[in-house]
Amino acid sequence: MHSVVISGTGLCQPPHTITNAELVESFNRYVDRENTRHAAEIAAGTRPALQYSSVEFIEKASGIQQRYVFDKSGILDPARMYPHYAERADSELSMMAEIAVAAAQQALAQAGRSGADVDAVLCAASNMQRAYPAMAIEIQQALGAGGYGFDMNVACSSATFGIELAVNAVRTGSARCVLVVNPEITSGHQAWNDRDCHFIFGDVCTAILVERAEDAVGADPWDVLGTRLATQFSNNIRNNFGFLNRSEDSDPNARVKTFRQEGRKVFKEVVPIAAAHIKRLGGEPSRDRPPLLPDAFANTASAGSIIAFHRHRADLARGDIGVICSFGAGYSVGSVVVRKR
Ligand SMILES: CC(C)(COP(=O)(O)OP(=O)(O)OC[C@H]1O[C@@H](n2cnc3c(N)ncnc32)[C@H](O)[C@@H]1OP(=O)(O)O)[C@@H](O)C(=O)NCCC(=O)NCCS
């Protein structure tokens, strides 16, 4: 068995931000439009009127101040309420691959590596933009990597689950240098027209390079001391978009084909699972220890804990131990214990 390190991380940050004020202003215009359009049914009591969103609620309930997105105009257009992304030809690099390559190049540079050193690519994210070929194989080719690549999805825990697979591959010798990428274009499956959740998500892509410790040449490798995964089925975070939709003759634009959650239940059920999980790994979680991201990035699905590690690991001293931990739909909880070398 080989010792394993995380030798580099990368972050591809989208070009646009949406503040809560901008989001609420466009959402409330959407509410006015819809309520005017359905005025007769609302007056007859056969349809409930949509309610306004508010900046105060969003900040009090979630702490989110803004989110990054790859397209802003479509999301803020009250006649559309979702991003606009141009369809690309098969010969062009696809959008998820493009942002994954951008994040991966940072992780490789930090680790003193090039794409040719990579012998496995895992694309781990909450959604894939197509069924096949695997995004990971397109990314592998774009980076000039060898070996193999595959996609995996464990929703918001995709990154930590991906790291565990990468660590196991390096530990057992089936790969020496594994790239995990998390292209999270959450704006594509977010329900921007539902006030209960329209503020929650943002776009981003992260990358992590996992290598055999004895190979590492980068300036800041982190030992991987252990990983732990857990899942428990729940319908409280769910998205029914899928390849059988056509055969079901169901509406492709129905509300259930985008993100939905029972926020209160999720909060009550998942937080204790995650807290117990971290405790089992050792050490007491406390309020002042984890870096907080939601104010600037909102929820970025699987990328969140990697952004925290990427942006704040310089704050830790040699020998310090940290936990990269995630939780999300499934339910799924993943932890990676790391130590700064
Ligand atoms: C989503 C979340 C922020 C909502 O906060 P909350 O305090 O539970 O708020 P609720 O959904 O119970 O709503 C409280 C009230 O505000 C209202 N409300 C909801 N969205 C609103 C908005 N955007 N603006 C104004 N009011 C809003 C609700 O209708 C409700 O009104 P009521 O009391 O009259 O019924 C919170 O439940 C949460 O963080 N859950 C965990 C989510 C999570 O981690 N998910 C993982 C996703 S991968």
Side-chain angles (χ1 to χ4, degrees), residues 38-265:
H38 298 290
E41 295 146 274
I42 293 167
T46 55
R47 187 186 185 102
L50 295 181
Q51 305 292 312
Y52 282 157
S53 183
S54 89
V55 171
E56 295 71 32
F57 172 85
I58 293 170
E59 291 176 5
K60 186 163 175 282
S62 71
I64 295 166
Q65 305 274 342
Q66 62 162 41
R67 64 285 297 141
Y68 287 90
V69 289
F70 287 106
D71 173 68
K72 183 167 176 173
S73 59
I75 294 168
L76 293 184
D77 177 356
R80 184 175 174 92
M81 302 297 278
Y82 48 86
H84 182 85
Y85 298 128
E87 190 174 11
R88 298 184 185 187
D90 289 358
S91 57
E92 293 177 271
L93 194 64
S94 52
M95 190 174 164
M96 282 182 74
E98 181 182 302
I99 62 175
V101 166
Q105 278 165 344
Q106 287 179 26
L108 289 166
Q110 204 175 70
R113 293 282 173 211
S114 72
D117 297 317
V118 172
D119 57 4
V121 177
L122 310 188
C123 181
S126 303
N127 260 296
M128 298 300 153
Q129 74 178 85
R130 61 166 180 258
Y132 40 78
M135 302 308 308
I137 303 174
E138 188 180 359
I139 296 161
Q140 175 194 21
Q141 187 198 43
L143 289 169
Y148 62 90
F150 63 86
D151 295 349
M152 52 176 289
N153 173 1
V154 203
C156 294
S157 285
S158 297
T160 50
F161 278 56
I163 293 173
E164 156 140 328
L165 292 191
V167 167
N168 288 343
V170 174
R171 188 159 276 156
T172 57
S174 70
R176 286 186 87 109
C177 181
V178 184
L179 176 72
V180 182
V181 287
N182 321 107
E184 291 289 5
I185 310 174
T186 63
S187 54
H189 53 104
Q190 160 77 316
W192 295 100
N193 59 353
D194 181 338
R195 83 165 182 163
D196 286 342
C197 64
H198 76 123
F199 54 89
I200 287 179
F201 286 107
D203 296 333
V204 86
C205 180
T206 48
I208 311 110
L209 199 69
V210 174
E211 290 188 79
R212 215 184 258 195
E214 71 197 54
D215 293 349
V217 294
D220 186 23
W222 287 65
D223 291 310
V224 178
L225 302 181
T227 56
R228 181 78 58 88
L229 312 179
T231 54
Q232 181 183 307
F233 185 69
S234 168
N235 278 320
N236 288 331
I237 314 173
R238 191 165 170 128
N239 181 340
N240 283 352
F241 177 79
F243 79 101
L244 290 180
N245 291 161
R246 182 184 68 169
S247 309
E248 294 161 349
D249 296 312
S250 60
D251 175 1
N253 295 317
R255 175 69 187 86
V256 295
K257 307 290 173 38
T258 50
F259 169 87
R260 66 199 152 105
Q261 72 168 348
E262 296 286 339
R264 285 265 160 125
K265 287 187 189 162

